[in-house]
């Protein structure tokens, strides 16, 4: 019974002391009036904001499915089992059925909007994620994730994960964790998962199983992010930054007069050295000497004269440009940067190829010396794929492919030395060594092998 339906037990008591009630009523009316006024002010201020566009996720039919013995959920669980078995053919069907129907697991199912397919099992389910939550540890393990082949081109994979994240917040889940095979790593990366697990190991160790050939990946679920409106959020952040930039920028407020027709001649016949910015310009005499200045030579002098002419344009210096800035975008510097970026891309590609191999799972992360306490007593210089990736991203560590291959072979030899012949890890190292010979040029492998025999690192 609602409070408005309750009636007083004694009407006489209800009619007593009208004066006190009138005073209370006046105070209540006054408070209501002020509250309404504040509400109107808030509505007036919010009315200046543009209306929020409709959320496309609202049109998606979805359901959290658990094994509660209800007819509808059992039909949907059968449809999810069939979907996972069809889209994940390498996974044992008995294992899929056991986890999907396990009462500790839940599934987020995307349902067809066709009313004729309602409660039709396989036809109704177009996508799903099966997961198990650990509320006391505030994380969940994703067991299966699949979308019907006919619906994959419609972006349901991303929508499915975003909807799961939104639901996870309601369950108090902070992290998702999963073991991804080589074909799924790319998908999970796009959904915000990373190979660098930040969640303390004590929270999940012993609760989830380790899978050979799978890569453990993690995703932090931020509780205040609306994952169904990420594009709108990014656009709003971009507009906010641009507004703040425009508030302090003068580029759209100060108008300089047009350049005179003889500007090039005037600047070309100017004094041989002008200091406008953080560096001193070279003389305009076309000297080909190689000493002093910015580096010498005709090319450098031409670049310096071009920078000088650019700085002479009204507004360039005022905008904060300096000689070093202008010289950094010249052709020579561009070529060097392009070569550096090209090498970086090639090295990252090689590391990714190695990391994607099933036998490389034990090389992806540093050896945990707290668990393997004698590792550093045997191995003086540990190395792993994640360390190599960090060195490549830093940009200054590897000068060529020879240096990367040398680290790869060091990783192979470290594994062989510590584990010994006959162990599984030793076999992994042998497989990796054979694979490296197929992805690195022969001149690189030969040069490093020769340098190793001589006690150094070869390559140019």
């Amino acid at each position: 019974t609602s409070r408005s339906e309750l009636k007083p037990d004694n009407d006489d008591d209800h009619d007593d002391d009208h004066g006190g009630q009138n005073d209370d009523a006046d105070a209540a009316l006054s408070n209501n009036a002020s509250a309404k006024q504040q509400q109107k002010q808030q509505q007036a201020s919010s009315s200046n904001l543009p209306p929020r566009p409709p959320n496309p996720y609202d049109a998606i039919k979805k359901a959290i499915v658990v094994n509660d013995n209800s007819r509808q959920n059992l039909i949907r669980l059968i449809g999810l089992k069939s979907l996972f078995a069809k889209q994940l053919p390498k996974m044992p069907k008995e294992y899929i059925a056991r986890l999907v129907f396990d009462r500790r697991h839940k599934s987020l199912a995307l349902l067809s909007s066709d009313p004729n397919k309602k409660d039709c099992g396989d036809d109704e389910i177009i996508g799903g994620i099966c997961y198990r939550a650990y509320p006391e540890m505030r994380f969940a393990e994703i067991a299966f994730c699949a979308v019907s082949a006919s619906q994959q081109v419609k972006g349901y994979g991303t929508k499915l994960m975003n909807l799961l994240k939104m639901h996870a917040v309601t369950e108090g889940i902070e992290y998702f964790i999963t073991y991804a095979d080589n074909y799924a790593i790319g998908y999970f990366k796009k959904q915000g998962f990373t190979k660098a697990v930040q969640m303390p190991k004590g929270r999940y160790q012993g609760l989830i199983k380790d899978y050979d050939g799978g890569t453990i990946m993690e995703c932090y679920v931020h509780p205040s992010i609306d994952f169904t409106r990420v594009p709108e959020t990014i656009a709003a952040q971009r507009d906010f930054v641009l507004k703040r930039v425009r508030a302090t920028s003068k580029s759209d407020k100060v108008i300089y007069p047009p350049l005179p027709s003889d500007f090039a001649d005037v600047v070309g016949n100017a004094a041989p050295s002008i200091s406008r910015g953080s560096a001193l310009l070279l003389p305009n005499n076309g000297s080909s000497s190689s000493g002093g200045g910015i580096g010498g030579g005709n090319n450098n002098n031409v670049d310096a004269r071009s920078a000088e002419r650019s700085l002479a344009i009204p507004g360039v210096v005022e905008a904060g440009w300096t000689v070093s800035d202008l010289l950094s975008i010249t052709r020579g510097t561009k070529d060097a940067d392009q070569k550096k970026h090209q090498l970086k891309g090639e090295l990252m590609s090689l590391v990714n190829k190695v990391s994607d191999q099933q036998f490389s799972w034990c090389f992806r992360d540093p050896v945990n010396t707290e668990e393997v306490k004698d590792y550093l007593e045997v191995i003086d210089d540990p190395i792993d794929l994640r360390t190599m990736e960090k060195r490549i991203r830093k940009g200054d560590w590897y000068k060529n492919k020879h240096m990367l291959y040398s680290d790869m072979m060091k990783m192979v030899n470290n594994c062989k030395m510590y584990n010994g012949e006959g162990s599984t890890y030793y076999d992994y190292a042998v497989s990796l060594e054979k694979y490296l010979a197929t992805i690195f040029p022969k001149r690189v492998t030969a040069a490093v092998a020769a340098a190793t025999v001589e006690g150094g690192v070869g390559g140019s």
Side-chain angles (χ1 to χ4, degrees), residues 190-201:
K190 291 179 181 178
Q191 309 310 319
F193 283 73
T194 175
K195 297 178 183 179
V197 178
Q198 302 296 327
M199 183 172 57
K201 197 171 185 179

Side-chain angles (χ1 to χ4, degrees), residues 34 47 50 56 75 94 101 107 129 143 170-171 176 247 249 298 315 348 365 380 385 399 414 417 426 434 441 444 456:
S34 61
S47 62
I75 291 175
E94 296 80 4
F101 285 93
S107 296
I129 293 181
T170 65
E171 294 190 15
F176 278 119
S249 174
N298 275 332
M348 284 298 300
D365 299 306
D380 296 331
L385 293 175
K399 308 299 182 184
N414 286 349
M417 182 183 300
Y426 188 95
K434 293 178 180 178
V444 173

Side-chain angles (χ1 to χ4, degrees), residues 7 22 44 108 150 168 214 235 252 304 325 337 348 399 421:
K7 296 182 179 180
N22 289 337
L108 171 64
S150 61
D252 59 336
D325 294 332
D337 289 341
M348 284 298 300
K399 308 299 182 184
E421 191 171 357

Side-chain angles (χ1 to χ4, degrees), residues 366-376 382:
V367 174
N368 189 339
T369 54
E370 293 182 0
E371 297 179 357
V372 189
K373 298 186 182 297
D374 64 337
Y375 187 76
L376 295 179

Side-chain angles (χ1 to χ4, degrees), residues 255-332:
I255 300 177
Y256 293 94
L259 299 178
S261 58
D262 58 346
F263 174 79
D265 297 333
V266 173
V267 174
N269 296 326
S273 179
I274 301 175
S275 179
R276 297 191 69 189
S278 63
L280 189 67
L281 297 180
L282 291 179
N284 290 324
N285 55 11
S287 172
S288 60
S289 64
S290 60
I294 302 177
N298 275 332
N299 291 335
N300 289 326
N301 283 333
V302 170
D303 292 339
R305 289 197 298 272
S306 299
E308 181 176 334
R309 285 194 294 271
S310 299
L311 288 179
I313 299 174
V316 175
V317 173
E318 288 75 6
W321 286 90
T322 63
V323 174
S324 58
D325 294 332
L326 295 172
L327 290 178
S328 67
I329 59 176
T330 56
R331 181 177 301 175

Side-chain angles (χ1 to χ4, degrees), residues 395-407:
D396 298 326
W397 188 278
Y398 296 113
K399 308 299 182 184
N400 47 54
K401 294 180 181 178
H402 298 72
M403 297 179 68
L404 178 64
Y405 180 73
S406 178
D407 270 357

Side-chain angles (χ1 to χ4, degrees), residues 179-182 211-215 356-359 361 364 428:
Y179 273 90
D181 60 22
N182 295 335
Y211 297 91
D212 291 345
T215 301
D356 288 343
Q357 303 306 308
Q358 290 187 354
F359 52 76
W361 66 269
R364 291 170 185 155
Y428 287 156

Side-chain angles (χ1 to χ4, degrees), residues 168-446:
V169 174
T170 65
E171 294 190 15
I173 294 173
E174 290 183 347
Y175 293 93
F176 278 119
I177 199 166
T178 188
Y179 273 90
D181 60 22
N182 295 335
Y183 300 101
I185 289 176
Y187 165 77
F188 281 107
K189 279 186 176 180
K190 291 179 181 178
Q191 309 310 319
F193 283 73
T194 175
K195 297 178 183 179
V197 178
Q198 302 296 327
M199 183 172 57
K201 197 171 185 179
R203 285 174 61 174
Y204 65 88
Q205 193 173 25
L207 296 177
I208 63 175
K209 295 181 180 179
D210 294 330
Y211 297 91
D212 291 345
T215 301
I216 187 169
M217 302 187 75
E218 173 200 85
C219 177
Y220 173 68
V221 182
H222 200 289
S224 61
I225 292 180
D226 187 347
F227 292 97
T228 63
R229 291 185 179 271
V230 171
E232 296 175 28
T233 304
I234 295 175
Q237 291 175 339
R238 181 176 182 273
D239 292 340
F240 174 78
V241 172
L242 288 177
K243 287 180 181 178
R244 296 298 297 269
V245 170
R246 292 190 186 104
T248 57
S249 174
K250 298 180 180 179
S251 61
D252 59 336
K253 301 178 181 65
V254 180
I255 300 177
Y256 293 94
L259 299 178
S261 58
D262 58 346
F263 174 79
D265 297 333
V266 173
V267 174
N269 296 326
S273 179
I274 301 175
S275 179
R276 297 191 69 189
S278 63
L280 189 67
L281 297 180
L282 291 179
N284 290 324
N285 55 11
S287 172
S288 60
S289 64
S290 60
I294 302 177
N298 275 332
N299 291 335
N300 289 326
N301 283 333
V302 170
D303 292 339
R305 289 197 298 272
S306 299
E308 181 176 334
R309 285 194 294 271
S310 299
L311 288 179
I313 299 174
V316 175
V317 173
E318 288 75 6
W321 286 90
T322 63
V323 174
S324 58
D325 294 332
L326 295 172
L327 290 178
S328 67
I329 59 176
T330 56
R331 181 177 301 175
T333 308
K334 279 185 177 180
D335 291 343
D337 289 341
Q338 287 177 355
K339 290 180 180 179
K340 185 176 180 180
H341 287 304
Q342 182 180 357
L343 176 63
K344 184 177 179 180
E346 293 175 353
L347 297 181
M348 284 298 300
S349 176
L350 290 169
V351 171
N352 290 335
K353 286 181 179 179
V354 173
S355 182
D356 288 343
Q357 303 306 308
Q358 290 187 354
F359 52 76
S360 69
W361 66 269
C362 56
F363 301 104
R364 291 170 185 155
D365 299 306
V367 174
N368 189 339
T369 54
E370 293 182 0
E371 297 179 357
V372 189
K373 298 186 182 297
D374 64 337
Y375 187 76
L376 295 179
E377 297 176 4
V378 180
I379 305 301
D380 296 331
D381 190 9
I383 188 66
D384 58 273
L385 293 175
R386 186 188 295 182
T387 301
M388 296 181 200
E389 185 176 339
K390 290 180 179 178
R391 290 177 176 180
I392 295 172
R393 294 187 185 281
K394 187 178 179 181
D396 298 326
W397 188 278
Y398 296 113
K399 308 299 182 184
N400 47 54
K401 294 180 181 178
H402 298 72
M403 297 179 68
L404 178 64
Y405 180 73
S406 178
D407 270 357
M408 291 279 188
M409 288 304 301
K410 183 191 300 182
M411 183 172 64
V412 169
N413 294 329
N414 286 349
C415 183
K416 290 181 177 180
M417 182 183 300
Y418 182 81
N419 295 285
E421 191 171 357
S423 67
T424 302
Y425 294 104
Y426 188 95
D427 295 338
Y428 287 156
V430 172
S431 299
L432 176 58
E433 185 175 8
K434 293 178 180 178
Y435 180 71
L436 293 177
T438 64
I439 62 174
F440 278 90
K442 289 185 178 180
R443 58 181 179 82
V444 173
T445 58

